[in-house]
Amino acid sequence: MSSPHLPGPSSPARSANSANSQQQQSFSSGPGPQRRLTLRERATAFAATAARHVLATLATLPSGTVFVLLLCLGLHILSYPFSFLGNAGCLAANAYISSPISNVLKLLSNHFLHVGWWHLIMNSMAWPSFAVPLEQELGTYQFMHVILLLSLVSSFIYVLVGAFFGLMITQFGAACSEGLSALIFALLTIEASHARGLFERLQ
């Protein structure tokens, strides 16, 4: 009987050639050059990243502060298909004094409507710095009552001041008041009177 044929040991040269061929195959099957993103894809990626940061920031804010921000954003978006909302945000002293009943809603609505995206973004960035300390101290329920009261008071002050200076300069009486600026300055006054928040850090 013939003995079965057994393979002999491989030579070192053959092992080296096998290793080199495996390395060449791994290099050839590696990832090719990356495709450059188009302008639209980069803008989409940037918008997605910004949205994630905004949502993460909103999650850390008290509910009352977030409600005011979302109200401003929602009204601004709705002002495009519903153009009458743009006029609802314009509180002018002369217009209110001549017809207070028809303009009574503007005493509130003018604080939450803005004239453009840049106006909305800047006010939205400043709002939490002054709203959060007050809401954390008072609680959301009382905080919303204070915001309602400050909205009415600041609007009445604007009407009185605009009417007074409008007697001398017509543009003052016809100028519109829109945006969160009045409420931000009202909260800024509260912060300054209590020497806390921003002013406490500056001392």
Side-chain angles (χ1 to χ4, degrees):
M1 294 180 62
S2 61
S3 60
H5 177 71
L6 297 175
S10 59
S11 63
R14 184 180 300 175
S15 300
N17 292 334
S18 177
N20 292 334
S21 63
Q22 290 178 358
Q23 290 180 357
Q24 291 176 357
Q25 290 178 0
S26 63
F27 290 148
S28 61
S29 61
Q34 294 184 353
R35 181 179 63 87
R36 295 186 61 181
L37 296 177
T38 64
L39 180 60
R40 182 176 181 179
E41 290 173 339
R42 282 182 287 178
T44 303
F46 175 80
T49 303
R52 286 194 296 268
H53 283 295
V54 170
L55 292 176
T57 302
L58 290 177
T60 64
L61 299 178
S63 56
T65 303
V66 174
F67 174 79
V68 173
L69 291 175
L70 294 180
L71 177 63
C72 293
L73 177 61
L75 290 175
H76 187 71
I77 294 175
L78 289 175
S79 66
Y80 287 93
F82 303 103
S83 57
F84 69 90
L85 287 175
N87 184 48
C90 177
L91 177 65
N94 291 345
Y96 180 81
I97 291 175
S98 62
S99 182
I101 301 300
S102 62
N103 290 286
V104 66
L105 290 178
K106 293 182 179 181
L107 295 175
L108 290 176
S109 62
N110 76 95
H111 297 286
F112 308 106
L113 285 159
H114 294 76
V115 296
W117 282 105
W118 185 247
H119 186 205
L120 174 63
I121 291 172
M122 296 302 294
N123 278 343
S124 297
M125 292 175 62
W127 172 252
S129 300
F130 304 103
V132 170
L134 184 61
E135 184 174 0
Q136 290 176 338
E137 179 177 345
L138 299 179
T140 300
Y141 186 74
Q142 292 185 358
F143 170 77
M144 296 305 295
H145 279 81
V146 169
I147 294 302
L148 179 64
L149 178 63
L150 291 176
S151 299
L152 294 174
V153 171
S154 60
S155 293
F156 276 119
I157 291 176
Y158 177 79
V159 169
L160 293 176
V161 172
F164 175 76
F165 285 101
L167 297 175
M168 298 173 286
I169 304 175
T170 307
Q171 288 80 359
F172 275 99
C176 288
S177 172
E178 286 187 84
L180 280 174
S181 301
L183 289 177
I184 291 174
F185 280 109
L187 297 180
L188 183 65
T189 303
I190 295 175
E191 289 289 313
S193 63
H194 288 78
R196 56 183 192 183
L198 173 65
F199 292 90
E200 187 177 23
R201 293 193 295 269
L202 292 177
Q203 290 179 353

